[in-house]
Amino acid sequence: MATADPETDGAYAELLDRVKRIENVGNAAGVLYWDQQVKMPEGGTPARSKQLSALQTVRHDLLTDEAVGDLLADLESQDLDDEQAAVVREVRRQYEREVEVPGDLVKELSETISEAQQAWREAKEEDEFETFEPYLDRLRELHVERAEYVDAEKDPYEVMFEEGEPYLPLSTVERIFDELREGLVPLIEDVQENGADIADDAFAGEFDPEDQEALCRDALDLLGYDWDRGRLDTAPHPFMSGTQFDARITTRFHETDFVDPLTATIHEFGHATYQLGLRDDAYGTPLGDYRSSGIHESQSRFWENHVGRTKAFWERFLPTVKERFPEFEDVTVDEAYEAVNQVFTDNLIRVEADELTYHMHIILRSEIEQEFVGGDLDVSEIPGRWNELMDEYLGVVPETDAEGCLQDIHWSSRFAGFQNYTVGSVFAAQLWATIEEELDDPEAMIREGNFGPIREWLTENVHCHGQRYTTDELIERATGEPLTAEYFLDYVTEKYEAIYDL
């Protein structure tokens, strides 16, 4: 701990006070975004876009205030303790990325995002890409313009990627993608060509949305969701929104599939668990905020796959499923396990994909948006390019754009974020391997419904640190080594060779 210094303490305290105001404005905008996706009437978009734009502009003005720059300069040569240094590092990063961006651009970008989200929703419902097309094209222009203000020397797409993943180089992610292509493509082909028949229709049927919601709530109860600091609602695209005091989950339901809403809910539970595991006493500061998008996705993918798709989980949860849906009274644990882990050879939808083909969806999206952002792909060409890559990577072509390039909400707000889902999956497998070494039989804990030790381990090793450490530092502290695809590839190879008797 550094020796107390009145000048340092005063400057740091003032910086912290400013940062808390900035973050509270951002968190207020988050609540308005949640309302727009969940509760707001369809006609509310014109006002909501102005409200969100006003808050984003205020946040930008507070962050780029000359006084913030002066405080950062004052603290640059001061003797700070580790936590103070981390806070200053993160505030400086945000400040330097925003200070050259004009306020008018921030305002227009925020308004366009809000309008684009409504346009995306309408376009998907009506299966009319043309409705979304002008908004998507304008967003590209605005995001590229913003990236050029942030760092004119870098490729705009790389600048956009750093927005959500600031300390993990894009080159590292691209190397991991190459390793996954090399490992996953032959495994997928082996499953398709040589895999044994499995109980992929064990849960076939039609399901009332109210019964599906009740089952999702059962799962959240079992996992230990804190209802005093959260809630479950529906949205066109599942997401989590909130802070360590209010982490809200959304899901969606399908008439003929209760497994997808269930796993989506467990996925969002993972996000919520991360938020709720952040330090209460550091709220409003970088120490009370999540590290990065990739780390966030590691928590959701961990709970969805390394917990929710395990045989141990279904030994515990299958009786609950049978209570809600008595027609499955004769389904065995092995059949349930196979059904929730089947490899979909004809799946069109990313969020419904299995653990193997999922990453081909991610690679497809990343390639398309890099071409689009780089100016090599016109907005009107996106549906055709999408279908072309779907055929190449997954051997299936969507009949509609609603099932194709309009299925995800993400491009209505940002680009260069899909990679984080794969980063999260890779890190989740690395975390699970470490947990298996450090906890006494975590699989038995899942089977017994004793999730507390697993949540506590993740909180202690990931959540509670907030942004104290950079991404690579956090990964090494939690697992003892840098991010590697080795554990993920070993995990899926062993799992799916066993399921499909390869």
Side-chain angles (χ1 to χ4, degrees):
M1 181 70 71
T3 304
D5 179 89
E7 182 179 347
T8 300
D9 288 350
Y12 182 77
E14 184 178 348
L15 180 69
L16 211 59
D17 181 62
R18 288 177 175 271
V19 167
K20 289 178 179 179
R21 276 182 280 161
I22 292 166
E23 290 309 302
N24 277 321
V25 171
N27 288 336
V31 175
L32 286 182
Y33 172 82
W34 173 88
D35 178 75
Q36 181 178 10
Q37 299 301 319
V38 177
K39 295 291 186 183
M40 189 188 79
E42 291 185 7
T45 300
R48 184 54 45 85
S49 66
K50 299 295 184 183
Q51 294 158 1
L52 287 169
S53 175
L55 287 176
Q56 293 296 346
T57 302
V58 169
R59 185 185 184 282
H60 173 78
D61 291 344
L62 289 171
L63 176 60
T64 59
D65 190 291
E66 185 177 347
V68 173
D70 292 341
L71 288 168
L72 290 171
D74 290 344
L75 291 166
E76 189 169 356
S77 60
Q78 299 298 325
D79 188 17
L80 304 174
D81 66 38
D82 290 346
E83 289 196 349
Q84 290 174 332
V87 168
V88 172
R89 179 194 69 220
E90 294 302 319
V91 176
R92 179 176 289 114
R93 184 185 70 83
Q94 292 184 46
Y95 174 81
E96 290 176 350
R97 289 182 67 86
E98 292 285 340
V99 68
E100 299 297 332
V101 179
D104 288 346
L105 176 57
V106 173
K107 177 176 180 290
E108 184 178 0
L109 182 55
S110 178
E111 288 184 4
T112 305
I113 287 173
S114 186
E115 293 164 359
Q117 303 236 321
Q118 184 62 32
W120 166 80
R121 184 182 300 210
E122 294 171 2
K124 184 180 180 183
E125 289 176 354
E126 301 298 326
D127 186 30
E128 292 181 353
F129 181 74
E130 295 78 8
T131 301
F132 185 47
E133 190 174 303
Y135 295 92
L136 183 57
D137 206 31
R138 183 57 181 154
L139 282 173
R140 174 185 55 179
E141 294 173 356
L142 293 172
H143 278 297
V144 169
E145 183 180 356
R146 183 184 183 281
E148 290 172 344
Y149 277 111
V150 172
D151 190 341
E153 301 301 316
K154 279 188 178 180
D155 177 73
Y157 189 80
E158 186 174 355
V159 176
M160 295 175 199
F161 175 76
E162 292 171 348
E163 194 70 26
E165 197 56 72
Y167 298 107
L168 191 66
L170 184 57
S171 58
T172 297
V173 178
E174 290 173 341
R175 172 180 55 78
I176 288 174
F177 274 22
D178 290 340
E179 293 174 10
L180 293 181
R181 279 193 195 92
E182 184 177 342
L184 292 180
V185 171
L187 180 56
I188 293 169
E189 291 176 350
D190 199 13
V191 168
Q192 292 172 336
E193 296 171 5
N194 304 310
D197 292 335
I198 65 170
D200 52 12
D201 61 349
F203 289 133
E206 295 186 2
F207 312 101
D208 184 84
E210 291 185 4
D211 292 333
Q212 293 186 55
E213 180 176 351
L215 185 68
C216 289
R217 290 181 178 274
D218 290 335
L220 292 173
D221 287 338
L222 175 63
L223 294 169
Y225 184 48
D226 187 349
W227 292 103
D228 289 335
R229 297 192 182 197
R231 53 183 291 131
L232 175 66
D233 295 276
T234 59
H237 193 95
F239 71 99
M240 186 281 306
S241 178
T243 68
Q244 51 266 65
F245 298 103
D246 178 2
R248 308 177 184 188
I249 292 171
T250 68
T251 193
R252 63 184 180 190
F253 304 117
H254 299 289
E255 182 178 329
T256 60
D257 181 6
F258 76 81
V259 173
D260 174 62
L262 176 65
T263 54
T265 301
I266 296 174
H267 178 101
E268 300 307 332
F269 165 82
H271 282 304
T273 299
Y274 188 3
Q275 289 297 127
L276 296 172
L278 296 168
R279 285 170 47 184
D280 288 0
D281 66 336
Y283 169 75
T285 79
L287 298 177
D289 202 357
Y290 67 92
R291 171 59 282 166
S292 71
S293 297
I295 299 298
H296 227 311
E297 289 303 330
S298 75
Q299 303 309 288
S300 58
R301 297 294 284 172
F302 179 94
W303 285 97
E304 176 188 354
N305 296 323
H306 295 276
V307 176
R309 294 186 191 272
T310 63
K311 186 175 292 187
F313 179 81
W314 283 90
E315 287 180 44
R316 179 72 183 191
F317 196 62
L318 185 56
T320 304
V321 172
K322 293 179 179 181
E323 288 179 11
R324 295 293 180 188
F325 303 109
E327 61 266 38
F328 299 128
E329 180 58 37
D330 294 332
V331 173
T332 67
V333 170
D334 286 342
E335 290 171 337
Y337 176 65
E338 291 176 358
V340 300
N341 286 290
Q342 61 183 293
V343 174
F344 295 96
T345 58
D346 59 350
N347 178 55
L348 298 168
I349 309 300
R350 174 185 64 86
V351 297
E352 299 172 8
D354 54 86
E355 290 180 271
L356 300 185
T357 60
Y358 181 90
H359 301 283
M360 305 313 295
H361 286 267
I362 297 301
I363 291 170
L364 174 152
R365 286 156 173 76
S366 300
E367 290 185 7
I368 289 176
E369 64 180 8
Q370 281 185 282
E371 294 173 1
F372 178 53
V373 169
D376 298 320
L377 185 70
D378 187 78
V379 66
S380 64
E381 298 174 320
I382 287 178
R385 181 62 171 152
W386 182 286
N387 293 352
E388 177 186 353
L389 290 181
M390 283 290 291
D391 188 28
E392 179 180 345
Y393 290 160
L394 293 160
V396 60
V397 177
E399 295 183 2
T400 68
D401 290 337
E403 291 184 317
C405 60
L406 285 172
Q407 67 180 264
D408 292 301
I409 193 174
H410 301 66
W411 285 341
S412 65
S413 58
R414 60 170 296 196
F415 303 103
F418 280 111
Q419 294 91 337
N420 294 317
Y421 289 105
T422 291
V423 168
S425 296
V426 167
F427 185 38
Q430 198 165 328
L431 285 169
W432 177 253
T434 308
I435 286 174
E436 284 188 305
E437 291 180 357
E438 297 191 4
L439 294 184
D440 184 18
D441 201 352
E443 188 173 319
M445 294 175 184
I446 295 172
R447 186 178 298 110
E448 296 161 4
N450 180 24
F451 299 101
I454 298 174
R455 287 199 312 272
E456 291 162 10
W457 190 95
L458 290 169
T459 295
E460 180 181 346
N461 289 279
V462 180
H463 309 163
C464 74
H465 298 303
Q467 296 180 1
R468 178 171 179 175
Y469 304 109
T470 61
T471 306
D472 51 349
E473 289 173 341
L474 181 63
I475 290 171
E476 287 214 41
R477 287 181 65 89
T479 67
E481 57 186 311
L483 185 68
T484 171
E486 176 184 351
Y487 294 99
F488 175 77
L489 287 171
D490 286 348
Y491 154 71
V492 293
T493 300
E494 179 180 353
K495 177 177 180 176
Y496 284 93
E497 284 184 347
I499 290 174
Y500 281 92
D501 193 23
L502 298 174

